[in-house]
Amino acid sequence: MNQSTDTLAPLSSAPEAEDGPSRYFVTSFGCQMNVYDGERMGEMLAAQGMQAAASREDADLVILNTCHIREKAVARVYSDIGRLKRDDGSKPMIAVAGCVAQAEGEEIARRAPSVDIVVGPQAYHRLPQLIEQARHNTLAGSKKAAIDTDMPAVTKFAALPVRAKQPRPSAFLTVQEGCDKFCTYCVVPYTRGAEISRPFADLVDEAKALVDGGVKEITLLGQNVNAWTGTDAKGRHQGLEGLIEQLAEMPGLARIRYTTSHPNDMTDGLIAAHRDIAKLMPYLHLPVQSGSDRILKAMNRSHTAASYLAIIDKVRRSRPDIALSGDFIVGFPGETEADFEATLDIVRAANYAQAYSFKYSPRPGTPAADMEDQISPEIMDERLQRLQDLLNTQQQAFNQTTVGERTQVLLERQGRKPGQLVGKSPWLQSVHVMADGARIGDLIDVELVSAGPNSLEGRALTLVNA
Ligand code: 5AD
Ligand code: SF4
């Protein structure tokens, strides 16, 4: 339901007020699910007749699609709002969407009176009405922002238009949202709500629309993507591997990925899919967060270091070349040097191809924010550095092991040199290749010839479009 709130906002002098905005610009922060949401907001506004602006300056509606996961991300939103004011004193209509909108609601409009719309991640299908409401508020001289942070029982997806033609060969598809795990440091269960799985048939339809629009690779997204469940056309209960199996039958779709997974939902069926389904890429993002059982318990992760390593073992037996990725938090409250050493140990044991690591950031309303023994920033910095040094060494070593491989690269963008294109290997590495005549969206055979820490060089062999 739409709500509105009194703010101390001065009247917006936005030029869009009379007719409503006509050119939108969306900036998404944070995770891939936010990127997906940002794209869907854009597609919805385009379906309403608005145009995508080339830049924020050129837009009369700017949507900041925000992330609440760490404090820094939140601070960025407020500085960004401030920078939207133009030299002549005017400003575009400003919408704050995403997880900060959900978590802070009216507080945003109080703290940043130039904000016209606040819309949560489960309510953005109502953006057109909120824009209308904001426009009316402005015209009527009201100081209200249009706010909608509802989490409706019927999900937004049914209200969104069919996927538009995509600008890139690789697309995201959100299949699952929310989280019931309640890790003690994490805001996601509060900002995104309870775990929901989108229906099987809707996902097949959306994938088909993406492929019809030229997409070759789909990454299935969810905060706990491997918790997805559904019922197929024959009425059979399916886990994520069942959905992947069905999508793999779609002509034109060459590659399937999924992210992010929780260790506890890593079923034998999904692990076997990595062996059995050729289109499922050999890459797994499986966050462990810490290698210390004591810290994992305090985090409410409900797995241990050993149970995590046992899963990795199974995955590697199923798909020996899997590129393993993960997330780590250093400096969780109470983390001792010995706990941190256990994290380094699990990194050594698991051997990552690539990983993300963060300093713990206390988030308001989460249990960990009130725990004793918060770790000093200096210790966090030092631990993060040591962890990242180890992860970088592993990444470089992984890249090196793939040199000499003959594999396929999906070309995603032009490179810096003439005739150079950049794409992704099956292991999600960036590969630069001289491929005169090849186009973005081509899947080409390459030999990987050299590796750096962040990308590889490939030599083009032949074109192999799906
Ligand atoms: N502080 C630091 N990192 C966090 N993450 C989630 N919450 C926090 C927090 N409060 C990290 C986890 C998660 C990733 C998306 O962000 O590693 O897997
Ligand atoms: Fe957050 Fe834990 Fe849920 Fe991941 S599993 S979204 S870290 S609560």
Side-chain angles (χ1 to χ4, degrees), residues 369-383:
D370 297 327
M371 286 180 186
E372 294 190 348
D373 214 358
Q374 300 280 327
I375 305 299
S376 74
E378 294 73 29
I379 292 180
M380 282 207 231
D381 282 338
E382 189 256 345
R383 288 182 185 164

Side-chain angles (χ1 to χ4, degrees), residues 31 67-71 183-188 223 260-261 285-289 299 301 326-330 332 356-363 366 368:
C31 65
C67 171
H68 201 247
I69 200 100
R70 283 169 291 274
E71 201 176 355
C183 297
T184 52
Y185 50 81
C186 187
V187 287
V188 165
Q223 260 99 27
T260 285
S261 296
H285 183 236
L286 195 66
V288 66
Q289 314 296 356
M299 287 176 163
R301 286 291 294 180
D327 288 348
F328 296 89
I329 296 176
V330 301
F332 185 82
Y356 305 90
S357 46
F358 312 100
K359 288 185 268 185
Y360 168 70
S361 170
R363 309 307 298 122
T366 59

Side-chain angles (χ1 to χ4, degrees), residues 22 44-51:
S22 59
M44 178 176 55
L45 298 176
Q48 303 254 321
M50 288 182 69
Q51 294 199 335

Side-chain angles (χ1 to χ4, degrees), residues 183 262-266 286-313 327-328 339 342-343 345-347 349-350 352:
C183 297
H262 192 285
N264 291 6
D265 294 315
M266 207 63 218
L286 195 66
V288 66
Q289 314 296 356
S290 167
S292 155
D293 285 345
R294 203 178 64 81
I295 295 296
L296 287 171
K297 192 150 191 276
M299 287 176 163
N300 191 33
R301 286 291 294 180
S302 62
H303 60 77
T304 61
S307 69
Y308 177 87
L309 288 173
I311 295 164
I312 300 303
D313 230 44
D327 288 348
F328 296 89
D339 292 320
T343 298
D345 286 344
I346 204 170
V347 170
Y352 290 88

Side-chain angles (χ1 to χ4, degrees), residues 248-259:
E249 282 170 20
M250 203 171 275
L253 180 61
R255 292 175 160 191
I256 302 167
R257 302 180 184 277
Y258 62 95
T259 197

